[in-house]
């Protein structure tokens, strides 16, 4: 058991936006001129999350044994020269403080543009204290599913993540796996994936995430969820999401940590897939004010429907 003060310090939440479980996101703020203009459009009795009493949050930390950290947008912004990315100020020190606190830590990422090994090597070069067996990522989870269900994938993924699928039978595909393929999201490649799916009696589409966009050093970029939705629409099917916000993905990370959902906190920059996904799994969660965070980029209708589902 950790003292509340020590745990708060380990979380490094001075720049974080704190969220209680099942707290509804207030949506687009009237006037778009800051929180002052937005208060009038919040549901009755709902305080702005940035004004939550620290004492209330500290009380909710009792019994917490582990943290799940998103990576892109929380620890670093990807992109830049040679795709190396840039650490977010304070993030390297925050990871060191969390590890020094004795809390269990898992890096829970939807990164699908590199193998876990290459991804960890990049983060280490940036200065982060991280090793491969601390990372939960979608591609290895997808490979386990493919083997268990004897699925043979047509891959629409980034070239750098292909080594994760070595040893997987890809002959005569009976499913499609889509990840953040970046420049591989050409018309031809999307159409090839469509043709595989539409030609199957029981089409299976596995998606290594569901995000709409993410942030790189030169701005926001479309994420895998956009292309997943295109294939869903074209083939009139529903994808099986392997990464966040799937419960199975979060539960896998918790199992690897050896703790229960109520003993963990998820920290991310995506209110739906990081925070909402963790809450659906029974965890507490908070959103940082970095990465894709914005007061105005989320529609309250989508968030309320997600929480109610």
């Amino acid at each position: 058991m950790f003292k509340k003060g020590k745990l708060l310090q380990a979380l490094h939440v001075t720049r974080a936006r704190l969220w209680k479980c099942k707290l509804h996101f207030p949506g687009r703020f009237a006037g778009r001129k800051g929180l002052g203009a937005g208060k009038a459009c919040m549901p009755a009795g709902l305080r702005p999350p940035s004004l939550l009493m620290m004492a209330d949050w500290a009380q909710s930390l009792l019994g917490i044994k582990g943290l799940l950290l998103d990576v892109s947008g929380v620890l670093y912004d990807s992109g830049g020269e040679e795709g190396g990315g840039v650490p977010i100020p304070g993030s390297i020190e925050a990871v060191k403080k969390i590890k020094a606190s004795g809390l269990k830590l898992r890096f829970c990422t939807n990164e699908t543009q590199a193998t876990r090994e290459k991804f960890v090597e990049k983060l280490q070069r940036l200065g982060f204290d991280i090793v491969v067996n601390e990372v939960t990522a979608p591609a290895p989870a997808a490979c386990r599913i493919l083997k268990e269900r004897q699925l043979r994938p047509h891959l629409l993924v980034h070239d750098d993540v292909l080594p994760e699928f070595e040893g997987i039978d890809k002959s005569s595909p009976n499913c499609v796996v889509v990840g953040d393929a970046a420049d591989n999201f050409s018309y031809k490649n999307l159409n090839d994936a469509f043709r595989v799916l539409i030609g199957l009696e029981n089409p299976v589409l596995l998606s290594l995430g569901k995000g709409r966009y993410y942030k790189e050093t030169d701005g926001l970029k479309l994420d895998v969820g956009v292309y997943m939705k295109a294939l869903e629409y074209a083939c009139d099917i529903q994808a099986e999401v392997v990464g966040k916000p799937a419960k199975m993905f979060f539960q896998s990370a918790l199992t690897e940590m050896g703790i229960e959902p109520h003993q963990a906190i998820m920290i991310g920059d995506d209110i739906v897939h990081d925070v909402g996904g963790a809450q659906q799994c029974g965890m507490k969660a908070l959103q940082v004010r970095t990465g894709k965070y914005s007061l105005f980029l989320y529609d309250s209708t989508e968030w309320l429907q997600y929480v109610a589902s």
Side-chain angles (χ1 to χ4, degrees):
M1 186 68 68
F2 296 89
K3 293 182 179 179
K4 289 181 286 186
K6 184 177 180 181
L7 182 52
L8 282 169
Q9 183 181 27
L11 286 174
H12 194 64
V13 297
T14 55
R15 300 184 66 218
R17 181 171 190 170
L18 305 180
W19 295 83
K20 287 183 177 177
C21 270
K22 298 299 182 184
L23 178 63
H24 290 172
F25 183 68
R28 300 177 188 275
F29 291 96
R32 300 195 176 190
K33 293 182 180 179
L35 279 175
K39 292 177 184 176
C41 70
M42 290 183 179
L46 181 63
R47 292 178 293 173
S50 59
L51 301 181
L52 289 173
M53 295 296 291
M54 286 297 289
D56 293 341
W57 179 253
Q59 185 65 30
S60 72
L61 295 178
L62 291 173
I64 295 299
K65 295 183 179 180
L67 301 178
L68 282 71
L69 284 183
D70 183 26
V71 180
S72 179
V74 174
L75 300 183
Y76 86 117
D77 286 327
S78 58
E81 294 183 5
E82 299 182 358
V86 178
I88 292 170
S91 59
I92 294 174
E93 293 76 11
V95 171
K96 291 178 180 178
K97 287 183 178 181
I98 292 169
K99 289 195 170 185
S101 74
L103 288 165
K104 294 184 177 182
L105 177 61
R106 197 79 188 168
F107 299 91
C108 196
T109 177
N110 271 4
E111 170 63 41
T112 56
Q113 288 195 6
T115 63
R116 282 195 303 171
E117 289 75 13
K118 293 295 184 182
F119 184 55
V120 167
E121 287 175 9
K122 177 171 71 172
L123 292 172
Q124 289 173 341
R125 289 196 300 271
L126 293 176
F128 290 99
D129 180 8
I130 181 174
V131 294
V132 172
N133 62 11
E134 294 175 322
V135 177
T136 300
C143 288
R144 288 194 295 270
I145 293 172
L146 294 170
K147 291 177 181 178
E148 290 169 2
R149 294 165 56 179
Q150 297 183 331
L151 293 171
R152 303 180 302 276
H154 171 89
L155 298 175
L156 179 52
V157 298
H158 197 284
D159 290 342
D160 291 344
V161 82
L162 287 174
E164 293 278 18
F165 295 90
E166 289 181 359
I168 298 292
D169 184 5
K170 307 176 192 67
S171 62
S172 302
N174 57 3
C175 74
V176 167
V177 174
V178 59
D180 183 7
D183 291 339
N184 282 347
F185 279 133
S186 64
Y187 174 82
K188 179 184 181 305
N189 290 342
L190 277 167
N191 200 54
D192 287 345
F194 160 73
R195 287 178 172 176
V196 171
L197 289 170
I198 207 69
L200 295 172
E201 183 176 354
N202 297 300
V204 175
L205 174 60
L206 298 180
S207 184
L208 307 183
K210 194 180 177 181
R212 292 185 296 170
Y213 52 86
Y214 58 93
K215 183 181 179 183
E216 290 197 341
T217 53
D218 61 347
L220 298 177
K221 301 292 179 71
L222 290 175
D223 205 348
V224 61
V226 176
Y227 305 96
M228 176 199 82
K229 286 293 184 181
L231 291 171
E232 283 185 332
Y233 179 70
C235 301
D236 194 22
I237 59 174
Q238 184 170 354
E240 299 176 40
V241 179
V242 179
K244 296 177 290 185
K247 285 186 179 181
M248 177 186 67
F249 188 71
F250 286 109
Q251 189 57 58
S252 176
L254 292 170
T255 299
E256 290 164 348
M257 298 169 76
I259 59 177
E260 297 299 319
H262 69 276
Q263 297 173 318
I265 296 176
M266 174 69 199
I267 301 175
D269 65 327
D270 190 312
I271 192 63
V272 173
H273 301 118
D274 294 332
V275 174
Q279 290 177 341
Q280 292 283 3
C281 193
M283 287 185 279
K284 296 180 176 67
L286 64 84
Q287 182 190 22
V288 294
R289 293 178 182 263
T290 54
K292 68 173 66 171
Y293 165 83
S294 171
L295 291 178
F296 311 121
L297 285 177
Y298 294 97
D299 190 298
S300 60
T301 302
E302 177 190 9
W303 173 240
L304 291 172
Q305 288 175 344
Y306 185 84
V307 171
S309 63

PDB file of all heavy atoms in Angstrom, residues 108-112 136-139 141-142 145 178 206-211 224 240-250 273 277:
ATOM      1  N   CYS A 108       1.152   0.467 -22.364  1.00  0.00           N
ATOM      2  CA  CYS A 108       0.027  -0.109 -23.108  1.00  0.00           C
ATOM      3  C   CYS A 108      -0.195   0.739 -24.359  1.00  0.00           C
ATOM      4  O   CYS A 108      -0.774   1.825 -24.291  1.00  0.00           O
ATOM      5  CB  CYS A 108      -1.211  -0.106 -22.211  1.00  0.00           C
ATOM      6  SG  CYS A 108      -2.544  -1.169 -22.757  1.00  0.00           S
ATOM      7  N   THR A 109       0.261   0.253 -25.515  1.00  0.00           N
ATOM      8  CA  THR A 109       0.298   1.082 -26.709  1.00  0.00           C
ATOM      9  C   THR A 109      -0.401   0.420 -27.889  1.00  0.00           C
ATOM     10  O   THR A 109      -0.439  -0.806 -27.983  1.00  0.00           O
ATOM     11  CB  THR A 109       1.761   1.382 -27.106  1.00  0.00           C
ATOM     12  OG1 THR A 109       1.793   2.140 -28.313  1.00  0.00           O
ATOM     13  CG2 THR A 109       2.554   0.100 -27.303  1.00  0.00           C
ATOM     14  N   ASN A 110      -0.947   1.227 -28.770  1.00  0.00           N
ATOM     15  CA  ASN A 110      -1.487   0.747 -30.036  1.00  0.00           C
ATOM     16  C   ASN A 110      -0.487   0.914 -31.176  1.00  0.00           C
ATOM     17  O   ASN A 110      -0.871   0.893 -32.348  1.00  0.00           O
ATOM     18  CB  ASN A 110      -2.787   1.496 -30.389  1.00  0.00           C
ATOM     19  CG  ASN A 110      -4.018   0.819 -29.820  1.00  0.00           C
ATOM     20  OD1 ASN A 110      -3.930  -0.178 -29.092  1.00  0.00           O
ATOM     21  ND2 ASN A 110      -5.184   1.351 -30.140  1.00  0.00           N
ATOM     22  N   GLU A 111       0.763   1.087 -30.851  1.00  0.00           N
ATOM     23  CA  GLU A 111       1.808   1.265 -31.858  1.00  0.00           C
ATOM     24  C   GLU A 111       1.852   0.061 -32.798  1.00  0.00           C
ATOM     25  O   GLU A 111       2.035  -1.085 -32.369  1.00  0.00           O
ATOM     26  CB  GLU A 111       3.164   1.424 -31.176  1.00  0.00           C
ATOM     27  CG  GLU A 111       4.367   1.382 -32.100  1.00  0.00           C
ATOM     28  CD  GLU A 111       4.393   2.511 -33.106  1.00  0.00           C
ATOM     29  OE1 GLU A 111       4.061   3.646 -32.726  1.00  0.00           O
ATOM     30  OE2 GLU A 111       4.751   2.255 -34.270  1.00  0.00           O
ATOM     31  N   THR A 112       1.659   0.318 -34.093  1.00  0.00           N
ATOM     32  CA  THR A 112       1.733  -0.772 -35.075  1.00  0.00           C
ATOM     33  C   THR A 112       2.549  -0.360 -36.299  1.00  0.00           C
ATOM     34  O   THR A 112       2.321  -0.853 -37.406  1.00  0.00           O
ATOM     35  CB  THR A 112       0.321  -1.213 -35.521  1.00  0.00           C
ATOM     36  OG1 THR A 112      -0.410  -0.093 -36.028  1.00  0.00           O
ATOM     37  CG2 THR A 112      -0.432  -1.861 -34.390  1.00  0.00           C
ATOM     38  N   THR A 136       2.775  -3.894 -23.795  1.00  0.00           N
ATOM     39  CA  THR A 136       1.643  -4.617 -24.368  1.00  0.00           C
ATOM     40  C   THR A 136       1.254  -3.921 -25.662  1.00  0.00           C
ATOM     41  O   THR A 136       0.925  -2.731 -25.652  1.00  0.00           O
ATOM     42  CB  THR A 136       0.442  -4.637 -23.406  1.00  0.00           C
ATOM     43  OG1 THR A 136       0.823  -5.291 -22.185  1.00  0.00           O
ATOM     44  CG2 THR A 136      -0.737  -5.395 -24.029  1.00  0.00           C
ATOM     45  N   ALA A 137       1.313  -4.656 -26.779  1.00  0.00           N
ATOM     46  CA  ALA A 137       1.059  -4.071 -28.101  1.00  0.00           C
ATOM     47  C   ALA A 137       0.136  -4.992 -28.895  1.00  0.00           C
ATOM     48  O   ALA A 137       0.041  -6.191 -28.623  1.00  0.00           O
ATOM     49  CB  ALA A 137       2.376  -3.856 -28.842  1.00  0.00           C
ATOM     50  N   PRO A 138      -0.557  -4.457 -29.921  1.00  0.00           N
ATOM     51  CA  PRO A 138      -1.565  -5.237 -30.640  1.00  0.00           C
ATOM     52  C   PRO A 138      -1.033  -6.376 -31.508  1.00  0.00           C
ATOM     53  O   PRO A 138      -1.678  -7.422 -31.597  1.00  0.00           O
ATOM     54  CB  PRO A 138      -2.266  -4.191 -31.515  1.00  0.00           C
ATOM     55  CG  PRO A 138      -1.946  -2.879 -30.903  1.00  0.00           C
ATOM     56  CD  PRO A 138      -0.577  -3.040 -30.317  1.00  0.00           C
ATOM     57  N   ALA A 139       0.093  -6.186 -32.186  1.00  0.00           N
ATOM     58  CA  ALA A 139       0.538  -7.190 -33.161  1.00  0.00           C
ATOM     59  C   ALA A 139       0.782  -8.561 -32.529  1.00  0.00           C
ATOM     60  O   ALA A 139       0.298  -9.575 -33.065  1.00  0.00           O
ATOM     61  CB  ALA A 139       1.784  -6.699 -33.896  1.00  0.00           C
ATOM     62  N   ALA A 141      -0.586  -9.767 -29.897  1.00  0.00           N
ATOM     63  CA  ALA A 141      -1.905 -10.270 -29.510  1.00  0.00           C
ATOM     64  C   ALA A 141      -2.652 -10.797 -30.730  1.00  0.00           C
ATOM     65  O   ALA A 141      -3.328 -11.837 -30.668  1.00  0.00           O
ATOM     66  CB  ALA A 141      -2.709  -9.162 -28.835  1.00  0.00           C
ATOM     67  N   ALA A 142      -2.547 -10.095 -31.860  1.00  0.00           N
ATOM     68  CA  ALA A 142      -3.203 -10.545 -33.088  1.00  0.00           C
ATOM     69  C   ALA A 142      -2.626 -11.878 -33.557  1.00  0.00           C
ATOM     70  O   ALA A 142      -3.374 -12.760 -34.017  1.00  0.00           O
ATOM     71  CB  ALA A 142      -3.040  -9.493 -34.179  1.00  0.00           C
ATOM     72  N   ILE A 145      -4.201 -14.705 -31.714  1.00  0.00           N
ATOM     73  CA  ILE A 145      -5.555 -14.969 -32.211  1.00  0.00           C
ATOM     74  C   ILE A 145      -5.507 -15.742 -33.513  1.00  0.00           C
ATOM     75  O   ILE A 145      -6.259 -16.702 -33.725  1.00  0.00           O
ATOM     76  CB  ILE A 145      -6.323 -13.645 -32.392  1.00  0.00           C
ATOM     77  CG1 ILE A 145      -6.578 -12.990 -31.029  1.00  0.00           C
ATOM     78  CG2 ILE A 145      -7.633 -13.868 -33.127  1.00  0.00           C
ATOM     79  CD1 ILE A 145      -7.163 -11.598 -31.127  1.00  0.00           C
ATOM     80  N   VAL A 178      -5.601  -5.351 -40.366  1.00  0.00           N
ATOM     81  CA  VAL A 178      -5.267  -3.979 -40.718  1.00  0.00           C
ATOM     82  C   VAL A 178      -4.635  -3.280 -39.522  1.00  0.00           C
ATOM     83  O   VAL A 178      -5.111  -3.405 -38.385  1.00  0.00           O
ATOM     84  CB  VAL A 178      -6.514  -3.208 -41.225  1.00  0.00           C
ATOM     85  CG1 VAL A 178      -7.612  -3.169 -40.170  1.00  0.00           C
ATOM     86  CG2 VAL A 178      -6.149  -1.794 -41.656  1.00  0.00           C
ATOM     87  N   LEU A 206      -9.592  -8.176 -38.595  1.00  0.00           N
ATOM     88  CA  LEU A 206      -8.943  -7.869 -37.324  1.00  0.00           C
ATOM     89  C   LEU A 206      -8.248  -6.518 -37.453  1.00  0.00           C
ATOM     90  O   LEU A 206      -7.463  -6.310 -38.381  1.00  0.00           O
ATOM     91  CB  LEU A 206      -7.909  -8.939 -36.954  1.00  0.00           C
ATOM     92  CG  LEU A 206      -8.414 -10.369 -36.745  1.00  0.00           C
ATOM     93  CD1 LEU A 206      -7.255 -11.281 -36.399  1.00  0.00           C
ATOM     94  CD2 LEU A 206      -9.470 -10.425 -35.659  1.00  0.00           C
ATOM     95  N   SER A 207      -8.533  -5.607 -36.533  1.00  0.00           N
ATOM     96  CA  SER A 207      -7.932  -4.272 -36.580  1.00  0.00           C
ATOM     97  C   SER A 207      -7.042  -4.055 -35.367  1.00  0.00           C
ATOM     98  O   SER A 207      -7.463  -4.265 -34.227  1.00  0.00           O
ATOM     99  CB  SER A 207      -9.025  -3.199 -36.612  1.00  0.00           C
ATOM    100  OG  SER A 207      -8.456  -1.914 -36.740  1.00  0.00           O
ATOM    101  N   LEU A 208      -5.816  -3.627 -35.619  1.00  0.00           N
ATOM    102  CA  LEU A 208      -4.831  -3.414 -34.552  1.00  0.00           C
ATOM    103  C   LEU A 208      -5.022  -2.035 -33.924  1.00  0.00           C
ATOM    104  O   LEU A 208      -4.080  -1.260 -33.776  1.00  0.00           O
ATOM    105  CB  LEU A 208      -3.414  -3.564 -35.097  1.00  0.00           C
ATOM    106  CG  LEU A 208      -3.115  -4.860 -35.856  1.00  0.00           C
ATOM    107  CD1 LEU A 208      -1.655  -4.911 -36.284  1.00  0.00           C
ATOM    108  CD2 LEU A 208      -3.477  -6.077 -35.029  1.00  0.00           C
ATOM    109  N   GLY A 209      -6.247  -1.731 -33.555  1.00  0.00           N
ATOM    110  CA  GLY A 209      -6.581  -0.429 -32.973  1.00  0.00           C
ATOM    111  C   GLY A 209      -7.839   0.112 -33.611  1.00  0.00           C
ATOM    112  O   GLY A 209      -8.383  -0.465 -34.567  1.00  0.00           O
ATOM    113  N   LYS A 210      -8.296   1.258 -33.057  1.00  0.00           N
ATOM    114  CA  LYS A 210      -9.539   1.852 -33.534  1.00  0.00           C
ATOM    115  C   LYS A 210      -9.443   3.375 -33.548  1.00  0.00           C
ATOM    116  O   LYS A 210     -10.430   4.069 -33.714  1.00  0.00           O
ATOM    117  CB  LYS A 210     -10.678   1.398 -32.614  1.00  0.00           C
ATOM    118  CG  LYS A 210     -12.069   1.642 -33.129  1.00  0.00           C
ATOM    119  CD  LYS A 210     -13.096   1.131 -32.117  1.00  0.00           C
ATOM    120  CE  LYS A 210     -14.509   1.425 -32.566  1.00  0.00           C
ATOM    121  NZ  LYS A 210     -15.510   0.956 -31.558  1.00  0.00           N
ATOM    122  N   GLY A 211      -8.234   3.894 -33.346  1.00  0.00           N
ATOM    123  CA  GLY A 211      -8.051   5.339 -33.235  1.00  0.00           C
ATOM    124  C   GLY A 211      -8.399   6.083 -34.508  1.00  0.00           C
ATOM    125  O   GLY A 211      -8.219   5.574 -35.620  1.00  0.00           O
ATOM    126  N   VAL A 224      -5.560   4.175 -37.851  1.00  0.00           N
ATOM    127  CA  VAL A 224      -6.075   2.951 -38.447  1.00  0.00           C
ATOM    128  C   VAL A 224      -7.590   2.861 -38.438  1.00  0.00           C
ATOM    129  O   VAL A 224      -8.195   2.255 -39.329  1.00  0.00           O
ATOM    130  CB  VAL A 224      -5.458   1.724 -37.735  1.00  0.00           C
ATOM    131  CG1 VAL A 224      -5.813   1.704 -36.259  1.00  0.00           C
ATOM    132  CG2 VAL A 224      -5.912   0.427 -38.388  1.00  0.00           C
ATOM    133  N   GLU A 240     -13.076  -6.872 -35.592  1.00  0.00           N
ATOM    134  CA  GLU A 240     -12.701  -7.257 -34.237  1.00  0.00           C
ATOM    135  C   GLU A 240     -11.456  -6.441 -33.872  1.00  0.00           C
ATOM    136  O   GLU A 240     -10.414  -6.592 -34.509  1.00  0.00           O
ATOM    137  CB  GLU A 240     -12.404  -8.746 -34.157  1.00  0.00           C
ATOM    138  CG  GLU A 240     -13.577  -9.637 -34.528  1.00  0.00           C
ATOM    139  CD  GLU A 240     -13.201 -11.104 -34.515  1.00  0.00           C
ATOM    140  OE1 GLU A 240     -12.451 -11.521 -33.609  1.00  0.00           O
ATOM    141  OE2 GLU A 240     -13.645 -11.845 -35.419  1.00  0.00           O
ATOM    142  N   VAL A 241     -11.578  -5.579 -32.875  1.00  0.00           N
ATOM    143  CA  VAL A 241     -10.469  -4.708 -32.489  1.00  0.00           C
ATOM    144  C   VAL A 241      -9.579  -5.436 -31.497  1.00  0.00           C
ATOM    145  O   VAL A 241     -10.041  -5.921 -30.462  1.00  0.00           O
ATOM    146  CB  VAL A 241     -10.983  -3.389 -31.890  1.00  0.00           C
ATOM    147  CG1 VAL A 241      -9.813  -2.497 -31.480  1.00  0.00           C
ATOM    148  CG2 VAL A 241     -11.875  -2.662 -32.905  1.00  0.00           C
ATOM    149  N   VAL A 242      -8.300  -5.509 -31.829  1.00  0.00           N
ATOM    150  CA  VAL A 242      -7.337  -6.213 -30.978  1.00  0.00           C
ATOM    151  C   VAL A 242      -6.683  -5.253 -29.985  1.00  0.00           C
ATOM    152  O   VAL A 242      -6.426  -5.609 -28.842  1.00  0.00           O
ATOM    153  CB  VAL A 242      -6.265  -6.914 -31.839  1.00  0.00           C
ATOM    154  CG1 VAL A 242      -5.247  -7.630 -30.958  1.00  0.00           C
ATOM    155  CG2 VAL A 242      -6.924  -7.897 -32.793  1.00  0.00           C
ATOM    156  N   GLY A 243      -6.404  -4.022 -30.390  1.00  0.00           N
ATOM    157  CA  GLY A 243      -5.766  -3.050 -29.493  1.00  0.00           C
ATOM    158  C   GLY A 243      -6.791  -2.288 -28.666  1.00  0.00           C
ATOM    159  O   GLY A 243      -7.948  -2.697 -28.521  1.00  0.00           O
ATOM    160  N   LYS A 244      -6.354  -1.159 -28.093  1.00  0.00           N
ATOM    161  CA  LYS A 244      -7.286  -0.310 -27.355  1.00  0.00           C
ATOM    162  C   LYS A 244      -8.381   0.184 -28.295  1.00  0.00           C
ATOM    163  O   LYS A 244      -8.104   0.464 -29.458  1.00  0.00           O
ATOM    164  CB  LYS A 244      -6.523   0.892 -26.769  1.00  0.00           C
ATOM    165  CG  LYS A 244      -5.476   0.516 -25.739  1.00  0.00           C
ATOM    166  CD  LYS A 244      -4.715   1.734 -25.252  1.00  0.00           C
ATOM    167  CE  LYS A 244      -3.804   2.299 -26.322  1.00  0.00           C
ATOM    168  NZ  LYS A 244      -2.961   3.412 -25.872  1.00  0.00           N
ATOM    169  N   PRO A 245      -9.648   0.253 -27.856  1.00  0.00           N
ATOM    170  CA  PRO A 245     -10.147   0.140 -26.479  1.00  0.00           C
ATOM    171  C   PRO A 245     -10.722  -1.219 -26.115  1.00  0.00           C
ATOM    172  O   PRO A 245     -11.545  -1.311 -25.196  1.00  0.00           O
ATOM    173  CB  PRO A 245     -11.269   1.178 -26.490  1.00  0.00           C
ATOM    174  CG  PRO A 245     -11.858   1.060 -27.857  1.00  0.00           C
ATOM    175  CD  PRO A 245     -10.682   0.771 -28.771  1.00  0.00           C
ATOM    176  N   ALA A 246     -10.327  -2.298 -26.788  1.00  0.00           N
ATOM    177  CA  ALA A 246     -10.891  -3.615 -26.519  1.00  0.00           C
ATOM    178  C   ALA A 246     -10.596  -4.062 -25.080  1.00  0.00           C
ATOM    179  O   ALA A 246      -9.464  -3.945 -24.599  1.00  0.00           O
ATOM    180  CB  ALA A 246     -10.321  -4.626 -27.498  1.00  0.00           C
ATOM    181  N   LYS A 247     -11.610  -4.597 -24.403  1.00  0.00           N
ATOM    182  CA  LYS A 247     -11.434  -5.086 -23.028  1.00  0.00           C
ATOM    183  C   LYS A 247     -10.349  -6.147 -22.964  1.00  0.00           C
ATOM    184  O   LYS A 247      -9.553  -6.189 -22.016  1.00  0.00           O
ATOM    185  CB  LYS A 247     -12.750  -5.656 -22.501  1.00  0.00           C
ATOM    186  CG  LYS A 247     -13.793  -4.618 -22.129  1.00  0.00           C
ATOM    187  CD  LYS A 247     -15.000  -5.288 -21.487  1.00  0.00           C
ATOM    188  CE  LYS A 247     -16.047  -4.259 -21.074  1.00  0.00           C
ATOM    189  NZ  LYS A 247     -17.220  -4.886 -20.422  1.00  0.00           N
ATOM    190  N   MET A 248     -10.334  -7.032 -23.977  1.00  0.00           N
ATOM    191  CA  MET A 248      -9.350  -8.108 -23.997  1.00  0.00           C
ATOM    192  C   MET A 248      -7.926  -7.568 -23.946  1.00  0.00           C
ATOM    193  O   MET A 248      -7.047  -8.149 -23.287  1.00  0.00           O
ATOM    194  CB  MET A 248      -9.550  -8.939 -25.259  1.00  0.00           C
ATOM    195  CG  MET A 248      -8.532 -10.053 -25.448  1.00  0.00           C
ATOM    196  SD  MET A 248      -8.705 -10.894 -27.039  1.00  0.00           S
ATOM    197  CE  MET A 248      -8.239  -9.586 -28.178  1.00  0.00           C
ATOM    198  N   PHE A 249      -7.697  -6.457 -24.617  1.00  0.00           N
ATOM    199  CA  PHE A 249      -6.361  -5.871 -24.673  1.00  0.00           C
ATOM    200  C   PHE A 249      -5.936  -5.353 -23.301  1.00  0.00           C
ATOM    201  O   PHE A 249      -4.834  -5.633 -22.820  1.00  0.00           O
ATOM    202  CB  PHE A 249      -6.349  -4.736 -25.694  1.00  0.00           C
ATOM    203  CG  PHE A 249      -4.977  -4.190 -25.983  1.00  0.00           C
ATOM    204  CD1 PHE A 249      -4.056  -4.920 -26.700  1.00  0.00           C
ATOM    205  CD2 PHE A 249      -4.610  -2.929 -25.534  1.00  0.00           C
ATOM    206  CE1 PHE A 249      -2.794  -4.420 -26.985  1.00  0.00           C
ATOM    207  CE2 PHE A 249      -3.351  -2.416 -25.806  1.00  0.00           C
ATOM    208  CZ  PHE A 249      -2.442  -3.167 -26.529  1.00  0.00           C
ATOM    209  N   PHE A 250      -6.844  -4.597 -22.651  1.00  0.00           N
ATOM    210  CA  PHE A 250      -6.533  -4.097 -21.313  1.00  0.00           C
ATOM    211  C   PHE A 250      -6.381  -5.244 -20.318  1.00  0.00           C
ATOM    212  O   PHE A 250      -5.490  -5.224 -19.461  1.00  0.00           O
ATOM    213  CB  PHE A 250      -7.627  -3.137 -20.829  1.00  0.00           C
ATOM    214  CG  PHE A 250      -7.591  -1.794 -21.496  1.00  0.00           C
ATOM    215  CD1 PHE A 250      -8.562  -1.416 -22.398  1.00  0.00           C
ATOM    216  CD2 PHE A 250      -6.585  -0.880 -21.199  1.00  0.00           C
ATOM    217  CE1 PHE A 250      -8.531  -0.179 -23.012  1.00  0.00           C
ATOM    218  CE2 PHE A 250      -6.541   0.360 -21.805  1.00  0.00           C
ATOM    219  CZ  PHE A 250      -7.522   0.713 -22.711  1.00  0.00           C
ATOM    220  N   HIS A 273     -10.489   5.973 -26.370  1.00  0.00           N
ATOM    221  CA  HIS A 273      -9.819   4.680 -26.462  1.00  0.00           C
ATOM    222  C   HIS A 273      -8.889   4.393 -25.295  1.00  0.00           C
ATOM    223  O   HIS A 273      -8.703   3.224 -24.922  1.00  0.00           O
ATOM    224  CB  HIS A 273      -9.067   4.593 -27.784  1.00  0.00           C
ATOM    225  CG  HIS A 273      -9.968   4.753 -28.960  1.00  0.00           C
ATOM    226  ND1 HIS A 273      -9.847   5.794 -29.867  1.00  0.00           N
ATOM    227  CD2 HIS A 273     -11.040   4.042 -29.362  1.00  0.00           C
ATOM    228  CE1 HIS A 273     -10.804   5.688 -30.771  1.00  0.00           C
ATOM    229  NE2 HIS A 273     -11.541   4.652 -30.491  1.00  0.00           N
ATOM    230  N   GLY A 277     -11.894   3.219 -22.717  1.00  0.00           N
ATOM    231  CA  GLY A 277     -11.637   1.784 -22.786  1.00  0.00           C
ATOM    232  C   GLY A 277     -11.238   1.215 -21.445  1.00  0.00           C
ATOM    233  O   GLY A 277     -11.688   0.132 -21.050  1.00  0.00           O
TER     234      GLY A 277
END
